[in-house]
C-alpha cells in the first residue's frame, strides 16, 4: 500500500459486498486518566447498499470522576462523503481531513462537540505485513495513519468545555467485510519513560463455520528509532495471548527480540458499544482509552 493513500476510503459507493470502515482518533491527557475517542464510520450491510449510513461516535473518558460520556449519531449515506482519492470524510456537517476534525453528536441526553487539530511526523504503522492489505485475508484490516499524533483544540461534553492542549494519541484507519469474531486490541502512544515509543498489539481468533482458529497475537513496537514487527501469520499463531474481564497478557518473540506485556483496566474504565456487522447482527465491544500497559 502506498503511504500517501493509507487514509483513502476503500468503500466504493453502491458496492453490494457488505463493508464497514472507520477513521478514528484517540488521545490521552499528559498526566491524568482522561481521554477521548472519536470515530467517523461508514456501514453498508451485505447486498443492501441502499441502506448504507454514516456513523459518528465519540466518547470522553473521565477516569478522575469515573464518569464517561458516549454518543452516537447516524446519518443517511446521501449526506456523507467518503473520498477515495484523498483523505476527506464528511458525515452530515462533521468533517475529517488532514490535521483537522470538527463535529458534533448527541444521544441519550448527552452531547459531545469537537474542534481539534492534530499534527505529527511519524510514518504510518502497518499492523499486518503490507502484502496482506490488498488481498481478501484477513477480512478486517487496520493501520495507524499517524502514530504519536499531538492534538490541540477543544471538546464540549454536555456543558463542560475541555481544553485539549498537547494530548498525544493517534489517527487510525480500519475496514473490512465483517468484524473480527473475537479479539482484543490495544495501543500505547508513548510510555511514561519512553514518550517517543509507540506500541500496537492485537490478540484475535476467527470463526470459519463451526470451527474456531487458535488465538493469534500480532504486535509492532517502535522504540529508540527502530521498528520491531512480530506480525507475520506464522509468528502470530506461535505467540501467546489471552484475555478476560479485564486483564490481557501477551508474549511473542523471534530469534533476536522478545516482547511480553500486560494491559489491565478496571470495569468502571469501560464503555459498552454495539457495532453493526455487515453480514448481519451486532458485535459487542468494550472500549476504554484509560487502561494501563
Amino acid at each position: 500500500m502506498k503511504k500517501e493513500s493509507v487514509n483513502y476510503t476503500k468503500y466504493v459507493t453502491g458496492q453490494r459486498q457488505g463493508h464497514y470502515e472507520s477513521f478514528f482518533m484517540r488521545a490521552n491527557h499528559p498526566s491524568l486518566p482522561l481521554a477521548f475517542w472519536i470515530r467517523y464510520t461508514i456501514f453498508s450491510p451485505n447486498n443492501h447498499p441502499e441502506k448504507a449510513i454514516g456513523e459518528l461516535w465519540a466518547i470522553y473518558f473521565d477516569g478522575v470522576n469515573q464518569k464517561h460520556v458516549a454518543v452516537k449519531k447516524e446519518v443517511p449515506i446521501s449526506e456523507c462523503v467518503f473520498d477515495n482519492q484523498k483523505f476527506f470524510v464528511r458525515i452530515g456537517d462533521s468533517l475529517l481531513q488532514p490535521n483537522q476534525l470538527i463535529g458534533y453528536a448527541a444521544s441519550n441526553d448527552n452531547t459531545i462537540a469537537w474542534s481539534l487539530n492534530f499534527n505529527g511526523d511519524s510514518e504510518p504503522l502497518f499492523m499486518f505485513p503490507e502484502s496482506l492489505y490488498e488481498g481478501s485475508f484477513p477480512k478486517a484490516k487496520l493501520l495507524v495513519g499517524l502514530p504519536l499524533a499531538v492534538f490541540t483544540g477543544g471538546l464540549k461534553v454536555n456543558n463542560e468545555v475541555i481544553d485539549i492542549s498537547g494530548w498525544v494519541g493517534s489517527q487510525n484507519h480500519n475496514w473490512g467485510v465483517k468484524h473480527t469474531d473475537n479479539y482484543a486490541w490495544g495501543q500505547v502512544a508513548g510510555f511514561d519513560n519512553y514518550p517517543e515509543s509507540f506500541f500496537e498489539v492485537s490478540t484475535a481468533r476467527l470463526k470459519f463455520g463451526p470451527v474456531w482458529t487458535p488465538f493469534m497475537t500480532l504486535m509492532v513496537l517502535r522504540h529508540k528509532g527502530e521498528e520491531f514487527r512480530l506480525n507475520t501469520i506464522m509468528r502470530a499463531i506461535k505467540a501467546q495471548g489471552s484475555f478476560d474481564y479485564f486483564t490481557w497478557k501477551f508474549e511473542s518473540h523471534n530469534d533476536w527480540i522478545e516482547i511480553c506485556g500486560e494491559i489491565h483496566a478496571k470495569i468502571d474504565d469501560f464503555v459498552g458499544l454495539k457495532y453493526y456487522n455487515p453480514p448481519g447482527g451486532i458485535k459487542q465491544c468494550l472500549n476504554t482509552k484509560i487502561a494501563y500497559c
Side-chain angles (χ1 to χ4, degrees):
M1 176 183 295
K2 294 180 180 180
K3 292 180 179 179
E4 61 269 20
S5 66
V6 294
N7 285 319
Y8 295 2
T9 299
K10 308 303 177 187
Y11 176 76
V12 177
T13 301
Q15 71 176 58
R16 298 200 63 81
Q17 184 179 40
H19 189 88
Y20 78 90
E21 188 161 1
S22 296
F23 301 87
F24 72 89
M25 283 58 57
R26 43 80 44 170
N28 292 81
H29 185 281
S31 59
L32 297 173
L34 304 172
F36 68 80
W37 173 82
I38 298 170
R39 183 176 187 249
Y40 293 66
T41 297
I42 184 170
F43 168 75
S44 182
N46 198 35
N47 291 320
H48 290 283
E50 74 281 1
K51 296 181 179 180
I53 58 172
E55 302 173 336
L56 279 171
W57 303 71
I59 305 175
Y60 179 65
F61 293 92
D62 182 350
V64 175
N65 301 298
Q66 289 302 144
K67 185 179 180 181
H68 315 312
V69 176
V71 295
K72 180 191 177 185
K73 179 181 181 180
E74 297 182 4
V75 176
I77 195 65
S78 59
E79 299 176 22
C80 304
V81 176
F82 292 86
D83 204 303
N84 302 109
Q85 303 299 319
K86 61 182 178 181
F87 182 21
F88 181 84
V89 175
R90 179 174 61 80
I91 298 178
D93 295 329
S94 299
L95 297 175
L96 171 64
Q97 54 192 349
N99 308 118
Q100 185 183 50
L101 60 154
I102 300 170
Y104 170 89
S107 59
N108 299 322
D109 297 323
N110 288 310
T111 62
I112 300 180
W114 57 91
S115 180
L116 298 164
N117 295 317
F118 61 97
N119 291 281
D121 56 10
S122 297
E123 290 292 310
L125 182 145
F126 297 94
M127 190 61 171
F128 303 118
E130 291 185 39
S131 60
L132 294 181
Y133 283 88
E134 303 303 330
S136 60
F137 179 84
K139 294 185 181 299
K141 298 176 172 62
L142 68 159
L143 59 83
V144 189
L146 183 59
L148 295 174
V150 180
F151 290 82
T152 58
L155 303 176
K156 187 174 183 181
V157 180
N158 294 324
N159 294 318
E160 181 183 4
V161 176
I162 292 110
D163 177 55
I164 305 298
S165 180
W167 292 29
V168 177
S170 59
Q171 176 267 308
N172 306 264
H173 183 193
N174 57 45
W175 67 94
V177 298
K178 63 175 290 189
H179 288 292
T180 303
D181 297 292
N182 186 210
Y183 72 97
W185 171 88
Q187 187 184 87
V188 181
F191 290 84
D192 289 345
N193 296 325
Y194 295 96
E196 299 303 316
S197 295
F198 189 93
F199 179 59
E200 185 162 17
V201 57
S202 180
T203 294
R205 61 176 179 158
L206 310 177
K207 191 175 185 182
F208 297 92
V211 179
W212 285 92
T213 68
F215 279 104
M216 297 174 282
T217 297
L218 306 95
M219 56 186 78
V220 179
L221 172 67
R222 288 182 176 174
H223 181 62
K224 293 186 176 181
E226 294 188 68
E227 183 171 275
F228 305 99
R229 302 169 65 89
L230 297 171
N231 67 342
T232 65
I233 298 301
M234 187 58 66
R235 180 57 52 198
I237 293 172
K238 292 180 178 180
Q240 301 296 312
S242 62
F243 53 86
D244 57 19
Y245 301 96
F246 296 94
T247 299
W248 172 19
K249 297 181 180 180
F250 44 84
E251 184 277 332
S252 187
H253 68 275
N254 57 24
D255 291 340
W256 58 288
I257 185 172
E258 178 182 17
I259 300 175
C260 56
E262 179 178 312
I263 293 177
H264 173 76
K266 304 185 297 293
I267 186 172
D268 292 339
D269 294 334
F270 288 88
V271 172
L273 304 175
K274 294 181 179 180
Y275 292 159
Y276 301 140
N277 206 13
I282 297 289
K283 293 296 294 183
Q284 305 284 345
C285 177
L286 292 176
N287 187 327
T288 183
K289 295 295 175 280
I290 51 175
Y292 293 88
C293 180

